Amino acid sequence: MTVSIVRFGGSNCDRDAKRALEHLGIDAEIVWHEDGLPADTDGIVLPGGFSYGDYLRAGAMAARAPIMEEVREAASDGVPVLGVCNGAQIGCESGLTPGAFTTNESARFQCEHVHLRVERADTPWTAAYEEGEVIEVPIAHGEGRYEIADDRLAALEAEDRVLFRYCDEYGEVGPHANPNGSKHDVAGVLGDRDTVAVLMPHPERATLPDVGPTDGQGVLRAFE
């Protein structure tokens, strides 16, 4: 599989994603958004960063770049698409997944390790884990609070499309373990297909064994 990592002006986690994927033996290349998706694209990563300086709101401008129409078409054809942090914001803004990410409850940029509870283990992104398993990954965001209308959240949960929730080390959810105020502790969700996912934490920063925990490897193994 060849994974295309889409770089926008202001992306800064594209090289992290490439190194993490290649560490797992997955071919990956960074693609400048104006060049479009290569013909051999078998997977897509929308990486973290600050695309277009987060002007207007995070991810809003990148979501309207022409390449995102290609990404949506690829997603509808079953190509795996993962949006991480700013990429998650872009994914929501472009309609790949429901909801939106907005300013942290603390109104501050937060960079720290958090725990996530795996809500489903039957998706490409979570097949390496057990349902209910707790993993440790870092966050680094100022606009990571997941928001969605109550009725749409109820539908999302009824359709079992919540992928990860913030929790403590014991798997308990609640305000004490929610770093940004995300509604119902949501940290990651699926699109209409389970081959499309967005999450605010950074699995690529928890993949290389020489820089810390490797719990994020399982997410990226969806591209194997």
Side-chain angles (χ1 to χ4, degrees):
M1 178 176 286
T2 299
V3 178
S4 293
I5 304 166
V6 182
R7 171 185 282 168
F8 298 94
S11 297
N12 64 14
C13 298
D14 40 358
R15 288 177 292 179
D16 293 348
K18 188 174 190 295
R19 286 187 63 197
L21 288 165
E22 290 179 342
H23 173 76
L24 298 176
I26 300 166
D27 290 334
E29 62 177 310
I30 296 172
V31 176
W32 179 240
H33 71 97
E34 291 182 341
D35 296 335
L37 292 176
D40 63 346
T41 297
D42 297 315
I44 299 168
V45 171
L46 303 174
F50 303 92
S51 58
Y52 296 93
D54 281 350
Y55 292 123
L56 298 183
R57 59 185 180 272
M61 294 179 71
R64 286 151 181 80
I67 196 172
M68 289 307 299
E69 182 56 39
E70 297 180 53
V71 173
R72 284 189 289 269
E73 290 176 4
S76 68
D77 290 337
V79 173
V81 179
L82 176 66
V84 176
C85 199
N86 188 231
Q89 295 159 343
I90 295 169
C92 283
E93 291 284 346
S94 63
L96 285 170
T97 50
F101 292 95
T102 188
T103 305
N104 295 344
E105 197 168 57
S106 67
R108 297 177 178 177
F109 183 87
Q110 292 176 236
C111 183
E112 60 196 79
H113 279 249
V114 300
H115 292 95
L116 304 178
R117 189 176 71 193
V118 178
E119 298 296 281
R120 288 182 57 181
D122 60 345
T123 77
W125 316 104
T126 54
Y129 310 113
E130 299 290 334
E131 184 175 328
E133 183 175 349
V134 176
I135 63 174
E136 180 183 345
V137 291
I139 59 170
H141 58 249
E143 297 179 55
R145 176 165 56 94
Y146 185 71
E147 281 295 332
I148 188 171
D150 289 341
D151 59 337
R152 295 190 68 196
L153 177 60
L156 193 72
E157 293 180 326
E159 294 164 5
D160 207 13
R161 288 166 60 186
V162 175
L163 197 57
F164 296 103
R165 293 186 199 274
Y166 296 109
C167 67
D168 61 22
E169 60 185 309
Y170 305 107
E172 297 296 323
V173 300
H176 71 290
N178 187 330
N180 50 36
S182 287
K183 187 170 284 188
H184 281 209
D185 309 297
V186 172
V189 297
L190 295 168
D192 291 336
R193 293 171 173 259
D194 66 7
T195 48
V196 177
V198 302
L199 64 155
M200 190 51 50
H202 286 269
E204 80 284 5
R205 295 186 183 179
T207 294
L208 302 177
D210 57 345
V211 296
T214 58
D215 289 356
Q217 288 187 3
V219 175
L220 300 184
R221 290 194 183 280
F223 293 113
E224 288 182 326

